[in-house]
């Protein structure tokens, strides 16, 4: 008993020592938790040059919200001289204003070339658009963090000065070669003022100026966009898949392309065919065949009970010149991060039962009159770092990702829909997101 008491006292002392020493040097506020790690290497040299340019060490880096590269420092050949400049966004302590600074490496030393207050206090994205062999523009998405309104601004960088040449309010934008001429265009999705509708426009070089050269109204208005994906190959060449969210909370996909000198929407003449869904799924190459799939959802038969969260079945489609066609159907568990592709004879013939406490999904045969029949398959997700009861030996591990382990138990011995464990395992995949 004395040993136990002594151990408890030592443990208590250790915990108190941690909070009195370690935590005394920690910033436990929200701002402190959001501070990025200390910069190293080349970024540390850039940071020192930025402090020199700002005239203070009390600076805070601002990170773009979107884009493949969310680093505070972006390296871009802004003046097309074959050498990258660095662009960085920052603010000075006690001042919410975001500033933009451009630096160049001269004789192995970073020197500030330009510093100015930004258009807004939030940075959404920063990209470089190459409009011709002689014309580049820096494309910066700005956001007012109070109103959440966004402005897309294009800048020239000439004589060490950043000059705004184009600006428009927007929801989302993509830098891509939609006109297929070997140079970049900027495709902009923006609200049509006061109408609740959304338009898409193509901004590019016209003569010597940056202009909107084509625009069209979209069949479905959006309040935001989750993903823009360019596809250069496949059944549709040079198109942009745009995943948006409507005012009523549904998600959808539109397909934008360039034809005969005009920007067009794939669904402009057939809005009833716009792919809709209820969960935040986006277009991607789900099955690895190099072709983009479009998710469409409906409530799964047998799960329409009132006062219960609906369960959705997801059908993935591919687009062709004549329309979209079904590729495969699956159940998708976004919370646990997996997908199970339904065998062909399970389509419209099964239903899903969720067990919240155990994290288990059961697929059951659906009989006439929407009666739940024999169980065919169980899928269970567990955290390998937490305690859980030992499974029955009939459960088998099929995949792992991070802390999640995925187990499967194939049942349905008496059903005509029964499948082998190998077939079910092959139809299971972990989501990349």
């Amino acid at each position: 008993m004395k040993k136990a008491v002594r151990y408890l006292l030592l443990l208590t002392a250790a915990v108190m020592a941690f909070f009195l020493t370690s935590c005394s040097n920690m910033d436990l506020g929200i701002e402190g938790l959001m501070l990025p790690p200390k910069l190293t290497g080349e970024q540390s040299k850039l940071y020192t040059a930025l402090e020199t340019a700002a005239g203070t060490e009390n600076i805070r880096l601002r990170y773009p919200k979107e884009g493949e590269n969310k680093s505070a420092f972006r390296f871009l050949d802004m003046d097309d001289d074959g050498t990258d400049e660095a662009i960085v966004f920052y603010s000075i302590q006690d001042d919410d204003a975001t500033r933009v600074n451009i630096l160049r490496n001269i004789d192995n030393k970073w020197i500030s070339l330009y510093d100015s207050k930004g258009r807004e206090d939030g940075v959404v994205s920063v990209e470089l658009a190459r409009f011709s062999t002689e014309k580049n523009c820096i494309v910066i998405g700005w956001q007012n963090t109070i109103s959440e309104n966004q402005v897309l601004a294009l800048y020239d960088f000439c004589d060490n000065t950043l000059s705004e040449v184009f600006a428009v309010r927007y929801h989302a934008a993509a830098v891509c070669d939609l006109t297929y001429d070997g140079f970049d265009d900027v495709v902009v999705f923006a609200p049509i003022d006061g109408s609740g509708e959304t338009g898409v426009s193509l901004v590019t070089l016209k003569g010597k100026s940056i202009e909107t050269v084509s625009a069209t109204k979209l069949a479905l208005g959006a309040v935001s966009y989750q993903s823009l994906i360019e596809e250069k190959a496949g059944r549709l060449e040079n198109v942009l898949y745009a995943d948006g969210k409507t005012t009523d909370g549904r998600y959808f996909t539109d397909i934008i392309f360039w034809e005969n000198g005009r920007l067009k929407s794939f669904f402009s003449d057939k809005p009833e065919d716009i792919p809709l869904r209820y969960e935040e799924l986006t277009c991607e190459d789900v099955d690895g065949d190099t072709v983009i799939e479009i998710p469409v959802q409906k409530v799964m038969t047998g799960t329409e009970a009132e006062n219960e969260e609906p369960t959705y079945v997801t059908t993935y489609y591919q687009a062709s010149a004549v329309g979209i066609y079904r590729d495969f159907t699956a159940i998708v568990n976004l919370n646990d991060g997996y997908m199970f592709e339904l065998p062909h004879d399970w389509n419209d013939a099964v239903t899903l039962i969720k067990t919240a406490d155990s994290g288990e999904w059961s697929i059951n045969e659906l009989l006439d009159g929407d009666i739940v029949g024999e169980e065919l398959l169980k899928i269970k997700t567990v955290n390998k770092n937490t305690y859980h009861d030992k499974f029955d030996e009939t459960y088998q591990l099929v995949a792992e990702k991070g802390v999640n382990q995925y187990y499967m138990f194939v049942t349905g011995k008496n059903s005509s829909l029964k499948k082998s464990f190998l077939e079910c395992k092959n139809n299971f995949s972990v989501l990349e997101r």
Side-chain angles (χ1 to χ4, degrees), residues 389-406:
D389 294 331
K390 185 176 180 180
F391 298 142
D392 186 279
E393 292 181 358
T394 50
Y395 278 91
Q396 299 182 62
L397 181 68
V398 292
E400 290 188 62
K401 185 178 181 181
V403 298
N404 282 344
Q405 292 181 321
Y406 304 96

Side-chain angles (χ1 to χ4, degrees), residues 44 65 236 327 364:
S44 182
K65 291 170 52 180
L236 285 179
D327 190 12
N364 288 57

Side-chain angles (χ1 to χ4, degrees), residues 127-131 139 173-189 200-204 228-232 238-241 256-258 263:
E127 301 290 340
L128 183 69
R130 299 188 180 279
F131 291 119
V139 183
V175 176
C176 58
D177 182 13
L178 201 65
T179 57
Y180 209 53
D181 62 357
F183 296 104
D184 288 330
D185 311 296
V186 182
V187 182
V188 183
F189 296 82
V200 60
S201 59
L202 188 132
V203 178
T204 192
L228 302 176
I229 300 179
E230 181 185 16
E231 185 175 48
K232 293 186 176 181
N238 249 56
V239 300
L240 189 68
Y241 291 84
I256 309 302
F257 63 100
W258 182 261
L263 196 63

Side-chain angles (χ1 to χ4, degrees), residues 47-56 90 101 103 111-115:
Y47 193 83
T48 300
L50 182 61
E51 289 178 328
T52 301
T56 177
Y90 74 101
N101 189 285
L103 306 99
I111 304 295
S112 173
L113 305 175
Y114 173 85
D115 190 280

Side-chain angles (χ1 to χ4, degrees), residues 189-190 192 195-200 215-223 225 242 245-248 250 252-256 263-276:
F189 296 82
I192 298 175
S195 67
E197 297 176 318
T198 302
V200 60
T216 186
K217 186 176 74 172
L218 299 178
L220 202 57
V223 295
Y225 284 86
K245 184 178 182 179
T246 65
T247 54
D248 63 3
R250 292 180 298 171
F252 71 96
T253 297
D254 208 334
I255 304 174
I256 309 302
L263 196 63
K264 296 184 178 181
S265 163
F266 194 78
F267 300 103
S268 59
D269 297 328
K270 38 185 180 293
E272 68 278 1
D273 291 341
I274 292 179
L276 294 171

Side-chain angles (χ1 to χ4, degrees), residues 66-290:
E66 300 174 357
E68 294 181 1
N69 189 334
K70 296 183 179 66
S71 170
F73 295 96
R74 287 296 310 274
F75 298 92
L76 305 169
D77 186 4
M78 303 178 195
D79 52 8
D80 209 21
D81 64 352
T83 302
D84 285 348
E85 286 75 33
I87 184 169
V88 59
F89 302 93
Y90 74 101
S91 61
I92 298 174
Q93 188 173 347
D94 300 326
D95 185 356
D96 290 333
T98 295
R99 302 188 66 84
V100 56
N101 189 285
I102 297 176
L103 306 99
R104 178 179 290 145
N105 193 319
I106 301 175
D107 297 330
N108 202 33
K109 183 178 180 180
W110 286 100
I111 304 295
S112 173
L113 305 175
Y114 173 85
D115 190 280
S116 179
K117 182 179 177 180
R119 217 180 196 279
E120 299 287 353
D121 57 342
V123 184
V124 179
S125 61
V126 55
E127 301 290 340
L128 183 69
R130 299 188 180 279
F131 291 119
S132 73
T133 56
E134 300 177 351
K135 182 71 170 179
N136 292 344
C137 277
I138 298 94
V139 183
I140 301 177
W142 298 100
Q143 183 184 56
N144 184 305
T145 55
I146 297 176
S147 68
E148 297 188 349
N149 289 334
Q150 296 185 162
V151 174
L152 189 75
L154 278 65
Y155 299 86
D156 274 339
F157 183 64
C158 184
D159 297 328
N160 294 339
T161 300
L162 205 60
S163 303
E164 184 177 288
V165 295
F166 184 91
V168 64
R169 185 183 172 193
Y170 82 118
H171 285 319
V175 176
C176 58
D177 182 13
L178 201 65
T179 57
Y180 209 53
D181 62 357
F183 296 104
D184 288 330
D185 311 296
V186 182
V187 182
V188 183
F189 296 82
I192 298 175
D193 290 339
S195 67
E197 297 176 318
T198 302
V200 60
S201 59
L202 188 132
V203 178
T204 192
L205 182 65
K206 184 177 181 181
K208 295 185 178 181
S209 62
I210 303 298
E211 299 180 13
T212 298
V213 298
S214 182
T216 186
K217 186 176 74 172
L218 299 178
L220 202 57
V223 295
S224 63
Y225 284 86
Q226 291 72 50
S227 173
L228 302 176
I229 300 179
E230 181 185 16
E231 185 175 48
K232 293 186 176 181
R235 294 175 176 85
L236 285 179
E237 293 184 357
N238 249 56
V239 300
L240 189 68
Y241 291 84
D243 295 316
K245 184 178 182 179
T246 65
T247 54
D248 63 3
R250 292 180 298 171
Y251 298 91
F252 71 96
T253 297
D254 208 334
I255 304 174
I256 309 302
F257 63 100
W258 182 261
E259 184 179 69
N260 299 326
R262 292 177 56 199
L263 196 63
K264 296 184 178 181
S265 163
F266 194 78
F267 300 103
S268 59
D269 297 328
K270 38 185 180 293
E272 68 278 1
D273 291 341
I274 292 179
L276 294 171
R277 48 195 172 271
Y278 301 90
E279 296 176 304
E280 196 173 348
L281 295 170
T282 57
C283 294
E284 58 183 308
D285 178 14
V286 178
D287 54 6
D289 63 354
T290 72

Side-chain angles (χ1 to χ4, degrees), residues 413-425:
K413 295 181 179 180
N414 300 315
S415 172
S416 61
L417 298 177
K418 65 181 180 182
K419 303 297 175 187
S420 68
F421 170 78
L422 183 59
E423 183 175 357
C424 291
K425 181 181 178 180

